[in-house]
mmCIF file with all atom_site columns, all heavy atoms in Angstrom:
data_model
loop_
_atom_site.group_PDB
_atom_site.id
_atom_site.type_symbol
_atom_site.label_atom_id
_atom_site.label_alt_id
_atom_site.label_comp_id
_atom_site.label_asym_id
_atom_site.label_entity_id
_atom_site.label_seq_id
_atom_site.pdbx_PDB_ins_code
_atom_site.Cartn_x
_atom_site.Cartn_y
_atom_site.Cartn_z
_atom_site.occupancy
_atom_site.B_iso_or_equiv
_atom_site.pdbx_formal_charge
_atom_site.auth_seq_id
_atom_site.auth_comp_id
_atom_site.auth_asym_id
_atom_site.auth_atom_id
_atom_site.pdbx_PDB_model_num
ATOM 1   N N   . GLN A 1 21 ? 6.209  23.409 -16.568 1.00 0.00 ? 21 GLN A N   1
ATOM 2   C CA  . GLN A 1 21 ? 6.996  23.613 -17.812 1.00 0.00 ? 21 GLN A CA  1
ATOM 3   C C   . GLN A 1 21 ? 6.037  24.007 -18.999 1.00 0.00 ? 21 GLN A C   1
ATOM 4   O O   . GLN A 1 21 ? 6.403  24.875 -19.750 1.00 0.00 ? 21 GLN A O   1
ATOM 5   C CB  . GLN A 1 21 ? 7.764  22.324 -18.154 1.00 0.00 ? 21 GLN A CB  1
ATOM 6   C CG  . GLN A 1 21 ? 8.892  22.054 -17.214 1.00 0.00 ? 21 GLN A CG  1
ATOM 7   C CD  . GLN A 1 21 ? 9.536  20.688 -17.457 1.00 0.00 ? 21 GLN A CD  1
ATOM 8   O OE1 . GLN A 1 21 ? 9.182  19.961 -18.359 1.00 0.00 ? 21 GLN A OE1 1
ATOM 9   N NE2 . GLN A 1 21 ? 10.557 20.380 -16.646 1.00 0.00 ? 21 GLN A NE2 1
ATOM 10  N N   . ALA A 1 22 ? 4.905  23.354 -19.084 1.00 0.00 ? 22 ALA A N   1
ATOM 11  C CA  . ALA A 1 22 ? 3.947  23.696 -20.106 1.00 0.00 ? 22 ALA A CA  1
ATOM 12  C C   . ALA A 1 22 ? 3.476  25.112 -19.987 1.00 0.00 ? 22 ALA A C   1
ATOM 13  O O   . ALA A 1 22 ? 3.357  25.844 -21.008 1.00 0.00 ? 22 ALA A O   1
ATOM 14  C CB  . ALA A 1 22 ? 2.776  22.715 -20.053 1.00 0.00 ? 22 ALA A CB  1
ATOM 15  N N   . ASN A 1 23 ? 3.263  25.577 -18.753 1.00 0.00 ? 23 ASN A N   1
ATOM 16  C CA  . ASN A 1 23 ? 2.846  26.963 -18.557 1.00 0.00 ? 23 ASN A CA  1
ATOM 17  C C   . ASN A 1 23 ? 3.924  27.918 -19.026 1.00 0.00 ? 23 ASN A C   1
ATOM 18  O O   . ASN A 1 23 ? 3.628  28.968 -19.644 1.00 0.00 ? 23 ASN A O   1
ATOM 19  C CB  . ASN A 1 23 ? 2.535  27.160 -17.096 1.00 0.00 ? 23 ASN A CB  1
ATOM 20  C CG  . ASN A 1 23 ? 1.962  28.536 -16.803 1.00 0.00 ? 23 ASN A CG  1
ATOM 21  O OD1 . ASN A 1 23 ? 1.038  28.982 -17.428 1.00 0.00 ? 23 ASN A OD1 1
ATOM 22  N ND2 . ASN A 1 23 ? 2.576  29.216 -15.843 1.00 0.00 ? 23 ASN A ND2 1
ATOM 23  N N   . GLN A 1 24 ? 5.169  27.604 -18.661 1.00 0.00 ? 24 GLN A N   1
ATOM 24  C CA  . GLN A 1 24 ? 6.266  28.500 -19.103 1.00 0.00 ? 24 GLN A CA  1
ATOM 25  C C   . GLN A 1 24 ? 6.388  28.536 -20.627 1.00 0.00 ? 24 GLN A C   1
ATOM 26  O O   . GLN A 1 24 ? 6.565  29.627 -21.189 1.00 0.00 ? 24 GLN A O   1
ATOM 27  C CB  . GLN A 1 24 ? 7.605  28.001 -18.506 1.00 0.00 ? 24 GLN A CB  1
ATOM 28  C CG  . GLN A 1 24 ? 8.773  28.905 -18.741 1.00 0.00 ? 24 GLN A CG  1
ATOM 29  C CD  . GLN A 1 24 ? 8.608  30.275 -18.156 1.00 0.00 ? 24 GLN A CD  1
ATOM 30  O OE1 . GLN A 1 24 ? 8.283  30.437 -17.013 1.00 0.00 ? 24 GLN A OE1 1
ATOM 31  N NE2 . GLN A 1 24 ? 8.775  31.296 -18.955 1.00 0.00 ? 24 GLN A NE2 1
ATOM 32  N N   . LEU A 1 25 ? 6.223  27.404 -21.252 1.00 0.00 ? 25 LEU A N   1
ATOM 33  C CA  . LEU A 1 25 ? 6.257  27.359 -22.734 1.00 0.00 ? 25 LEU A CA  1
ATOM 34  C C   . LEU A 1 25 ? 5.122  28.186 -23.320 1.00 0.00 ? 25 LEU A C   1
ATOM 35  O O   . LEU A 1 25 ? 5.312  28.891 -24.292 1.00 0.00 ? 25 LEU A O   1
ATOM 36  C CB  . LEU A 1 25 ? 6.216  25.920 -23.195 1.00 0.00 ? 25 LEU A CB  1
ATOM 37  C CG  . LEU A 1 25 ? 7.475  25.069 -23.001 1.00 0.00 ? 25 LEU A CG  1
ATOM 38  C CD1 . LEU A 1 25 ? 7.198  23.598 -23.345 1.00 0.00 ? 25 LEU A CD1 1
ATOM 39  C CD2 . LEU A 1 25 ? 8.639  25.614 -23.789 1.00 0.00 ? 25 LEU A CD2 1
ATOM 40  N N   . ALA A 1 26 ? 3.978  28.058 -22.745 1.00 0.00 ? 26 ALA A N   1
ATOM 41  C CA  . ALA A 1 26 ? 2.819  28.815 -23.231 1.00 0.00 ? 26 ALA A CA  1
ATOM 42  C C   . ALA A 1 26 ? 3.033  30.318 -23.063 1.00 0.00 ? 26 ALA A C   1
ATOM 43  O O   . ALA A 1 26 ? 2.709  31.090 -23.913 1.00 0.00 ? 26 ALA A O   1
ATOM 44  C CB  . ALA A 1 26 ? 1.543  28.371 -22.499 1.00 0.00 ? 26 ALA A CB  1
ATOM 45  N N   . GLN A 1 27 ? 3.632  30.702 -21.932 1.00 0.00 ? 27 GLN A N   1
ATOM 46  C CA  . GLN A 1 27 ? 3.913  32.129 -21.721 1.00 0.00 ? 27 GLN A CA  1
ATOM 47  C C   . GLN A 1 27 ? 4.938  32.627 -22.735 1.00 0.00 ? 27 GLN A C   1
ATOM 48  O O   . GLN A 1 27 ? 4.802  33.710 -23.278 1.00 0.00 ? 27 GLN A O   1
ATOM 49  C CB  . GLN A 1 27 ? 4.419  32.356 -20.303 1.00 0.00 ? 27 GLN A CB  1
ATOM 50  C CG  . GLN A 1 27 ? 3.361  32.232 -19.241 1.00 0.00 ? 27 GLN A CG  1
ATOM 51  C CD  . GLN A 1 27 ? 3.902  32.383 -17.861 1.00 0.00 ? 27 GLN A CD  1
ATOM 52  O OE1 . GLN A 1 27 ? 5.087  32.435 -17.639 1.00 0.00 ? 27 GLN A OE1 1
ATOM 53  N NE2 . GLN A 1 27 ? 3.020  32.473 -16.867 1.00 0.00 ? 27 GLN A NE2 1
ATOM 54  N N   . ASN A 1 28 ? 5.948  31.807 -22.998 1.00 0.00 ? 28 ASN A N   1
ATOM 55  C CA  . ASN A 1 28 ? 6.948  32.241 -23.996 1.00 0.00 ? 28 ASN A CA  1
ATOM 56  C C   . ASN A 1 28 ? 6.316  32.307 -25.390 1.00 0.00 ? 28 ASN A C   1
ATOM 57  O O   . ASN A 1 28 ? 6.622  33.271 -26.095 1.00 0.00 ? 28 ASN A O   1
ATOM 58  C CB  . ASN A 1 28 ? 8.101  31.212 -23.996 1.00 0.00 ? 28 ASN A CB  1
ATOM 59  C CG  . ASN A 1 28 ? 8.948  31.255 -22.761 1.00 0.00 ? 28 ASN A CG  1
ATOM 60  O OD1 . ASN A 1 28 ? 8.839  32.200 -21.951 1.00 0.00 ? 28 ASN A OD1 1
ATOM 61  N ND2 . ASN A 1 28 ? 9.751  30.262 -22.556 1.00 0.00 ? 28 ASN A ND2 1
ATOM 62  N N   . ALA A 1 29 ? 5.511  31.373 -25.719 1.00 0.00 ? 29 ALA A N   1
ATOM 63  C CA  . ALA A 1 29 ? 4.834  31.424 -27.045 1.00 0.00 ? 29 ALA A CA  1
ATOM 64  C C   . ALA A 1 29 ? 3.931  32.618 -27.141 1.00 0.00 ? 29 ALA A C   1
ATOM 65  O O   . ALA A 1 29 ? 3.892  33.288 -28.187 1.00 0.00 ? 29 ALA A O   1
ATOM 66  C CB  . ALA A 1 29 ? 4.050  30.112 -27.274 1.00 0.00 ? 29 ALA A CB  1
ATOM 67  N N   . SER A 1 30 ? 3.296  32.980 -26.115 1.00 0.00 ? 30 SER A N   1
ATOM 68  C CA  . SER A 1 30 ? 2.404  34.153 -26.113 1.00 0.00 ? 30 SER A CA  1
ATOM 69  C C   . SER A 1 30 ? 3.258  35.410 -26.289 1.00 0.00 ? 30 SER A C   1
ATOM 70  O O   . SER A 1 30 ? 2.859  36.294 -27.062 1.00 0.00 ? 30 SER A O   1
ATOM 71  C CB  . SER A 1 30 ? 1.674  34.254 -24.778 1.00 0.00 ? 30 SER A CB  1
ATOM 72  O OG  . SER A 1 30 ? 0.874  35.383 -24.749 1.00 0.00 ? 30 SER A OG  1
ATOM 73  N N   . ALA A 1 31 ? 4.350  35.510 -25.636 1.00 0.00 ? 31 ALA A N   1
ATOM 74  C CA  . ALA A 1 31 ? 5.238  36.699 -25.772 1.00 0.00 ? 31 ALA A CA  1
ATOM 75  C C   . ALA A 1 31 ? 5.766  36.778 -27.230 1.00 0.00 ? 31 ALA A C   1
ATOM 76  O O   . ALA A 1 31 ? 5.801  37.883 -27.781 1.00 0.00 ? 31 ALA A O   1
ATOM 77  C CB  . ALA A 1 31 ? 6.429  36.596 -24.785 1.00 0.00 ? 31 ALA A CB  1
ATOM 78  N N   . VAL A 1 32 ? 6.180  35.684 -27.799 1.00 0.00 ? 32 VAL A N   1
ATOM 79  C CA  . VAL A 1 32 ? 6.699  35.681 -29.172 1.00 0.00 ? 32 VAL A CA  1
ATOM 80  C C   . VAL A 1 32 ? 5.582  36.093 -30.150 1.00 0.00 ? 32 VAL A C   1
ATOM 81  O O   . VAL A 1 32 ? 5.783  36.862 -31.051 1.00 0.00 ? 32 VAL A O   1
ATOM 82  C CB  . VAL A 1 32 ? 7.240  34.295 -29.568 1.00 0.00 ? 32 VAL A CB  1
ATOM 83  C CG1 . VAL A 1 32 ? 7.559  34.169 -31.015 1.00 0.00 ? 32 VAL A CG1 1
ATOM 84  C CG2 . VAL A 1 32 ? 8.517  34.011 -28.772 1.00 0.00 ? 32 VAL A CG2 1
ATOM 85  N N   . ALA A 1 33 ? 4.372  35.577 -29.917 1.00 0.00 ? 33 ALA A N   1
ATOM 86  C CA  . ALA A 1 33 ? 3.237  35.950 -30.760 1.00 0.00 ? 33 ALA A CA  1
ATOM 87  C C   . ALA A 1 33 ? 2.944  37.426 -30.633 1.00 0.00 ? 33 ALA A C   1
ATOM 88  O O   . ALA A 1 33 ? 2.684  38.088 -31.655 1.00 0.00 ? 33 ALA A O   1
ATOM 89  C CB  . ALA A 1 33 ? 2.033  35.071 -30.398 1.00 0.00 ? 33 ALA A CB  1
ATOM 90  N N   . ALA A 1 34 ? 3.000  37.966 -29.467 1.00 0.00 ? 34 ALA A N   1
ATOM 91  C CA  . ALA A 1 34 ? 2.772  39.409 -29.286 1.00 0.00 ? 34 ALA A CA  1
ATOM 92  C C   . ALA A 1 34 ? 3.834  40.235 -30.009 1.00 0.00 ? 34 ALA A C   1
ATOM 93  O O   . ALA A 1 34 ? 3.511  41.224 -30.654 1.00 0.00 ? 34 ALA A O   1
ATOM 94  C CB  . ALA A 1 34 ? 2.759  39.734 -27.782 1.00 0.00 ? 34 ALA A CB  1
ATOM 95  N N   . GLN A 1 35 ? 5.082  39.803 -29.923 1.00 0.00 ? 35 GLN A N   1
ATOM 96  C CA  . GLN A 1 35 ? 6.170  40.485 -30.606 1.00 0.00 ? 35 GLN A CA  1
ATOM 97  C C   . GLN A 1 35 ? 5.947  40.389 -32.115 1.00 0.00 ? 35 GLN A C   1
ATOM 98  O O   . GLN A 1 35 ? 6.168  41.406 -32.852 1.00 0.00 ? 35 GLN A O   1
ATOM 99  C CB  . GLN A 1 35 ? 7.523  39.912 -30.264 1.00 0.00 ? 35 GLN A CB  1
ATOM 100 C CG  . GLN A 1 35 ? 7.956  40.181 -28.826 1.00 0.00 ? 35 GLN A CG  1
ATOM 101 C CD  . GLN A 1 35 ? 9.208  39.442 -28.443 1.00 0.00 ? 35 GLN A CD  1
ATOM 102 O OE1 . GLN A 1 35 ? 9.651  38.530 -29.135 1.00 0.00 ? 35 GLN A OE1 1
ATOM 103 N NE2 . GLN A 1 35 ? 9.757  39.768 -27.307 1.00 0.00 ? 35 GLN A NE2 1
ATOM 104 N N   . GLY A 1 36 ? 5.552  39.248 -32.621 1.00 0.00 ? 36 GLY A N   1
ATOM 105 C CA  . GLY A 1 36 ? 5.277  39.080 -34.028 1.00 0.00 ? 36 GLY A CA  1
ATOM 106 C C   . GLY A 1 36 ? 4.143  39.997 -34.466 1.00 0.00 ? 36 GLY A C   1
ATOM 107 O O   . GLY A 1 36 ? 4.159  40.623 -35.567 1.00 0.00 ? 36 GLY A O   1
ATOM 108 N N   . GLY A 1 37 ? 3.113  40.075 -33.640 1.00 0.00 ? 37 GLY A N   1
ATOM 109 C CA  . GLY A 1 37 ? 1.994  40.994 -33.988 1.00 0.00 ? 37 GLY A CA  1
ATOM 110 C C   . GLY A 1 37 ? 2.437  42.410 -34.022 1.00 0.00 ? 37 GLY A C   1
ATOM 111 O O   . GLY A 1 37 ? 1.965  43.174 -34.909 1.00 0.00 ? 37 GLY A O   1
ATOM 112 N N   . ALA A 1 38 ? 3.308  42.809 -33.134 1.00 0.00 ? 38 ALA A N   1
ATOM 113 C CA  . ALA A 1 38 ? 3.800  44.200 -33.133 1.00 0.00 ? 38 ALA A CA  1
ATOM 114 C C   . ALA A 1 38 ? 4.592  44.478 -34.380 1.00 0.00 ? 38 ALA A C   1
ATOM 115 O O   . ALA A 1 38 ? 4.494  45.555 -34.998 1.00 0.00 ? 38 ALA A O   1
ATOM 116 C CB  . ALA A 1 38 ? 4.666  44.438 -31.863 1.00 0.00 ? 38 ALA A CB  1
ATOM 117 N N   . VAL A 1 39 ? 5.417  43.517 -34.795 1.00 0.00 ? 39 VAL A N   1
ATOM 118 C CA  . VAL A 1 39 ? 6.208  43.687 -36.021 1.00 0.00 ? 39 VAL A CA  1
ATOM 119 C C   . VAL A 1 39 ? 5.304  43.775 -37.216 1.00 0.00 ? 39 VAL A C   1
ATOM 120 O O   . VAL A 1 39 ? 5.491  44.693 -38.073 1.00 0.00 ? 39 VAL A O   1
ATOM 121 C CB  . VAL A 1 39 ? 7.214  42.483 -36.211 1.00 0.00 ? 39 VAL A CB  1
ATOM 122 C CG1 . VAL A 1 39 ? 7.830  42.533 -37.599 1.00 0.00 ? 39 VAL A CG1 1
ATOM 123 C CG2 . VAL A 1 39 ? 8.280  42.525 -35.116 1.00 0.00 ? 39 VAL A CG2 1
ATOM 124 N N   . VAL A 1 40 ? 4.295  42.938 -37.320 1.00 0.00 ? 40 VAL A N   1
ATOM 125 C CA  . VAL A 1 40 ? 3.346  43.054 -38.414 1.00 0.00 ? 40 VAL A CA  1
ATOM 126 C C   . VAL A 1 40 ? 2.646  44.413 -38.420 1.00 0.00 ? 40 VAL A C   1
ATOM 127 O O   . VAL A 1 40 ? 2.466  45.000 -39.481 1.00 0.00 ? 40 VAL A O   1
ATOM 128 C CB  . VAL A 1 40 ? 2.355  41.887 -38.396 1.00 0.00 ? 40 VAL A CB  1
ATOM 129 C CG1 . VAL A 1 40 ? 1.209  42.141 -39.385 1.00 0.00 ? 40 VAL A CG1 1
ATOM 130 C CG2 . VAL A 1 40 ? 3.057  40.561 -38.665 1.00 0.00 ? 40 VAL A CG2 1
ATOM 131 N N   . GLY A 1 41 ? 2.286  44.852 -37.228 1.00 0.00 ? 41 GLY A N   1
ATOM 132 C CA  . GLY A 1 41 ? 1.656  46.178 -37.146 1.00 0.00 ? 41 GLY A CA  1
ATOM 133 C C   . GLY A 1 41 ? 2.554  47.300 -37.680 1.00 0.00 ? 41 GLY A C   1
ATOM 134 O O   . GLY A 1 41 ? 2.067  48.191 -38.363 1.00 0.00 ? 41 GLY A O   1
ATOM 135 N N   . GLN A 1 42 ? 3.848  47.188 -37.381 1.00 0.00 ? 42 GLN A N   1
ATOM 136 C CA  . GLN A 1 42 ? 4.752  48.209 -37.879 1.00 0.00 ? 42 GLN A CA  1
ATOM 137 C C   . GLN A 1 42 ? 4.913  48.113 -39.379 1.00 0.00 ? 42 GLN A C   1
ATOM 138 O O   . GLN A 1 42 ? 5.000  49.136 -40.070 1.00 0.00 ? 42 GLN A O   1
ATOM 139 C CB  . GLN A 1 42 ? 6.139  48.023 -37.167 1.00 0.00 ? 42 GLN A CB  1
ATOM 140 C CG  . GLN A 1 42 ? 6.171  48.514 -35.781 1.00 0.00 ? 42 GLN A CG  1
ATOM 141 C CD  . GLN A 1 42 ? 5.911  49.943 -35.603 1.00 0.00 ? 42 GLN A CD  1
ATOM 142 O OE1 . GLN A 1 42 ? 6.381  50.794 -36.379 1.00 0.00 ? 42 GLN A OE1 1
ATOM 143 N NE2 . GLN A 1 42 ? 5.043  50.285 -34.643 1.00 0.00 ? 42 GLN A NE2 1
ATOM 144 N N   . VAL A 1 43 ? 4.985  46.901 -39.907 1.00 0.00 ? 43 VAL A N   1
ATOM 145 C CA  . VAL A 1 43 ? 5.060  46.742 -41.362 1.00 0.00 ? 43 VAL A CA  1
ATOM 146 C C   . VAL A 1 43 ? 3.855  47.313 -42.042 1.00 0.00 ? 43 VAL A C   1
ATOM 147 O O   . VAL A 1 43 ? 3.957  48.077 -43.043 1.00 0.00 ? 43 VAL A O   1
ATOM 148 C CB  . VAL A 1 43 ? 5.205  45.212 -41.715 1.00 0.00 ? 43 VAL A CB  1
ATOM 149 C CG1 . VAL A 1 43 ? 5.058  45.018 -43.217 1.00 0.00 ? 43 VAL A CG1 1
ATOM 150 C CG2 . VAL A 1 43 ? 6.559  44.720 -41.251 1.00 0.00 ? 43 VAL A CG2 1
ATOM 151 N N   . VAL A 1 44 ? 2.673  47.054 -41.524 1.00 0.00 ? 44 VAL A N   1
ATOM 152 C CA  . VAL A 1 44 ? 1.466  47.577 -42.131 1.00 0.00 ? 44 VAL A CA  1
ATOM 153 C C   . VAL A 1 44 ? 1.438  49.142 -42.016 1.00 0.00 ? 44 VAL A C   1
ATOM 154 O O   . VAL A 1 44 ? 1.120  49.817 -42.974 1.00 0.00 ? 44 VAL A O   1
ATOM 155 C CB  . VAL A 1 44 ? 0.232  47.025 -41.382 1.00 0.00 ? 44 VAL A CB  1
ATOM 156 C CG1 . VAL A 1 44 ? -1.026 47.790 -41.792 1.00 0.00 ? 44 VAL A CG1 1
ATOM 157 C CG2 . VAL A 1 44 ? 0.078  45.527 -41.692 1.00 0.00 ? 44 VAL A CG2 1
ATOM 158 N N   . LYS A 1 45 ? 1.923  49.649 -40.904 1.00 0.00 ? 45 LYS A N   1
ATOM 159 C CA  . LYS A 1 45 ? 1.939  51.086 -40.697 1.00 0.00 ? 45 LYS A CA  1
ATOM 160 C C   . LYS A 1 45 ? 2.911  51.758 -41.704 1.00 0.00 ? 45 LYS A C   1
ATOM 161 O O   . LYS A 1 45 ? 2.658  52.844 -42.196 1.00 0.00 ? 45 LYS A O   1
ATOM 162 C CB  . LYS A 1 45 ? 2.414  51.381 -39.247 1.00 0.00 ? 45 LYS A CB  1
ATOM 163 C CG  . LYS A 1 45 ? 2.408  52.842 -38.885 1.00 0.00 ? 45 LYS A CG  1
ATOM 164 C CD  . LYS A 1 45 ? 2.822  52.986 -37.435 1.00 0.00 ? 45 LYS A CD  1
ATOM 165 C CE  . LYS A 1 45 ? 2.889  54.417 -37.044 1.00 0.00 ? 45 LYS A CE  1
ATOM 166 N NZ  . LYS A 1 45 ? 3.335  54.568 -35.618 1.00 0.00 ? 45 LYS A NZ  1
ATOM 167 N N   . LEU A 1 46 ? 4.056  51.102 -42.001 1.00 0.00 ? 46 LEU A N   1
ATOM 168 C CA  . LEU A 1 46 ? 5.078  51.650 -42.846 1.00 0.00 ? 46 LEU A CA  1
ATOM 169 C C   . LEU A 1 46 ? 4.846  51.370 -44.329 1.00 0.00 ? 46 LEU A C   1
ATOM 170 O O   . LEU A 1 46 ? 5.508  51.963 -45.176 1.00 0.00 ? 46 LEU A O   1
ATOM 171 C CB  . LEU A 1 46 ? 6.475  51.164 -42.441 1.00 0.00 ? 46 LEU A CB  1
ATOM 172 C CG  . LEU A 1 46 ? 6.915  51.588 -41.038 1.00 0.00 ? 46 LEU A CG  1
ATOM 173 C CD1 . LEU A 1 46 ? 8.184  50.890 -40.660 1.00 0.00 ? 46 LEU A CD1 1
ATOM 174 C CD2 . LEU A 1 46 ? 7.053  53.085 -40.921 1.00 0.00 ? 46 LEU A CD2 1
#
Side-chain angles (χ1 to χ4, degrees):
Q21 291 174 1
N23 185 52
Q24 185 63 50
L25 289 171
Q27 288 177 351
N28 291 346
S30 178
V32 169
Q35 290 172 349
V39 170
V40 170
Q42 287 297 318
V43 169
V44 169
K45 184 178 177 181
L46 297 173

